[in-house]
Amino acid sequence: MATETDQATAEISSFQTENTTRESVLLWVDDHLKWLMTLPAVIILFALTFYPLVRAIQMSTQQFLPTGTTFVGVQNYVDLMSNEAFLNSLAVTGKFIGIAVGVEFLLGFGIALLLNKKIKLRGLWQTLILIPMILSPTVIGLIWRLLYAPNGLLDYIAAPLTGGANVGWISETSIALYSVILTDIWQWTPLVVLVLFAGLQSVPDDVREAAIMDGASVRQRFLHITLPYLKSLIVLVLIIRLVDALRVFAKVFILTRGGPASATNVISMQMYRTAFRFNNFGEASAMAVSLLVLVLILAMSFVKIANVEFGS
């Protein structure tokens, strides 16, 4: 009898232990479910970003020769400091970013303010404005290459000012970069409009109405209400455009191939030439790593200067 009782007690104890273990596992899974669901995506993203970064850093310390590779340490980075083509590409990229991002921000902010008012057919205008942003850079490059072609649409529009002569939008060194900039402005101003218009829509009406009742002018409401609410979004959209403009490639490749001469030879174009035309993969990798460091410094500088905390 005692033996049967002990056996039953052991079975009950084993059952309770098994249930307790199962409950613990289920509770742990429930507590960490959000992490488990995102783990596959995190692993894929990690593999697609971390490995290429490590590989690029490794390649930047090597010199690629027909007989194999040789470790050269930081020599590729040192050589960049005296590489006139690379330094020129930095200057061209800086000019491209300064003009393109500046105009896109001012123009996009102005359009967002206009759309924020109750104008006729606002939904239609919003849809039309966003069309350039959803097209691929390759398609946009091909469209604008046709527009810039000799005797093309832009030459026809400019004919009264030029006496019918072709302008050479992408063949003249003095204006080729500005033509590429115009293409970039046309494509990415809608992004600024989209982000800032969403921010303007989120400004509380009661705060704006209270300011009007207190006698605040349009300028005062803009400076002390609208801008503070949009500060984080302004910094965010500037960082997005800055990073994207630094790595612009498709439009430049299709429109000018970095020419004429080196008028539109941005950093990404110089990396392409160095790697695939001159087979200098080590120096091209050093350019890529240097560009990554530059992007991080500029992005952190924007956040620091604006004193923005995106997590708050």
Side-chain angles (χ1 to χ4, degrees):
M1 186 70 177
T3 303
E4 293 179 357
T5 303
D6 292 341
Q7 184 177 358
T9 303
E11 291 178 356
I12 294 174
S13 177
S14 175
F15 180 75
Q16 290 177 341
T17 302
E18 183 179 348
N19 281 346
T20 302
T21 303
R22 185 180 304 169
E23 289 177 1
S24 300
V25 172
L26 291 176
L27 288 174
W28 184 90
V29 171
D30 184 63
D31 291 339
H32 298 83
L33 183 61
K34 58 182 179 181
W35 303 113
L36 294 174
M37 295 293 289
T38 58
L39 185 60
V42 171
I43 293 174
I44 294 174
L45 184 63
F46 186 78
L48 292 177
T49 55
F50 182 75
Y51 174 75
L53 175 60
V54 173
R55 180 60 176 155
I57 295 174
Q58 179 190 12
M59 291 175 64
S60 70
T61 61
Q62 297 175 334
Q63 183 180 8
F64 288 76
L65 302 171
T67 56
T69 59
T70 303
F71 179 79
V72 294
V74 297
Q75 187 60 44
N76 286 324
Y77 296 94
V78 174
D79 292 341
L80 290 181
M81 299 300 102
S82 58
N83 188 325
E84 292 186 5
F86 175 71
L87 296 177
N88 177 73
S89 69
L90 280 177
V92 172
T93 304
K95 188 175 182 180
F96 175 86
I97 292 172
I99 299 175
V101 177
V103 173
E104 287 163 9
F105 173 73
L106 295 176
L107 183 60
F109 203 172
I111 295 174
L113 289 172
L114 182 62
L115 290 176
N116 194 46
K117 298 180 180 180
K118 295 182 179 179
I119 60 176
K120 293 182 179 180
L121 302 176
R122 185 170 72 175
L124 176 62
W125 291 118
Q126 288 174 309
T127 303
L128 293 176
I129 287 172
L130 295 179
I131 289 176
M133 189 179 68
I134 63 178
L135 298 176
S136 72
T138 303
V139 172
I140 289 175
L142 293 173
I143 292 173
W144 280 86
R145 188 174 179 85
L146 293 175
L147 294 176
Y148 289 140
N151 300 315
L153 179 61
L154 292 183
D155 274 343
Y156 176 78
I157 294 174
L161 300 176
T162 62
N166 294 332
V167 176
W169 301 96
I170 55 177
S171 59
E172 294 289 336
T173 56
S174 58
I175 61 174
L177 180 62
Y178 299 103
S179 298
V180 177
I181 289 173
L182 177 61
T183 305
D184 194 78
I185 291 172
W186 181 80
Q187 181 184 9
W188 290 115
T189 296
L191 174 66
V192 182
V193 175
L194 180 66
V195 174
L196 297 185
F197 176 71
L200 289 170
Q201 291 287 294
S202 67
V203 177
D205 291 333
D206 55 344
V207 176
R208 190 183 293 111
E209 292 170 0
I212 294 174
M213 294 180 62
D214 290 339
S217 63
V218 175
R219 178 176 175 274
Q220 289 173 328
R221 295 199 302 271
F222 178 76
L223 293 176
H224 301 291
I225 296 177
T226 303
L227 280 183
Y229 270 97
L230 295 181
K231 185 171 71 170
S232 296
L233 288 178
I234 289 173
V235 174
L236 178 63
V237 77
L238 285 175
I239 290 175
I240 292 174
R241 285 302 308 128
L242 175 69
V243 172
D244 194 62
L246 272 170
R247 61 185 184 87
V248 63
F249 177 78
K251 289 190 290 289
V252 176
F253 185 82
I254 293 172
L255 289 173
T256 64
R257 297 293 197 277
S262 57
T264 61
N265 189 37
V266 293
I267 294 179
S268 57
M269 196 69 209
Q270 180 60 29
M271 284 192 291
Y272 169 81
R273 287 178 170 178
T274 303
F276 299 106
R277 289 191 182 181
F278 307 119
N279 294 322
N280 194 342
F281 295 101
E283 190 169 305
S285 299
M287 292 180 187
V289 175
S290 300
L291 180 60
L292 174 62
V293 174
L294 178 61
V295 168
L296 292 176
I297 292 174
L298 291 176
M300 290 188 293
S301 299
F302 264 90
V303 175
K304 186 69 175 178
I305 293 172
N307 193 25
V308 172
E309 294 182 5
F310 293 105
S312 59

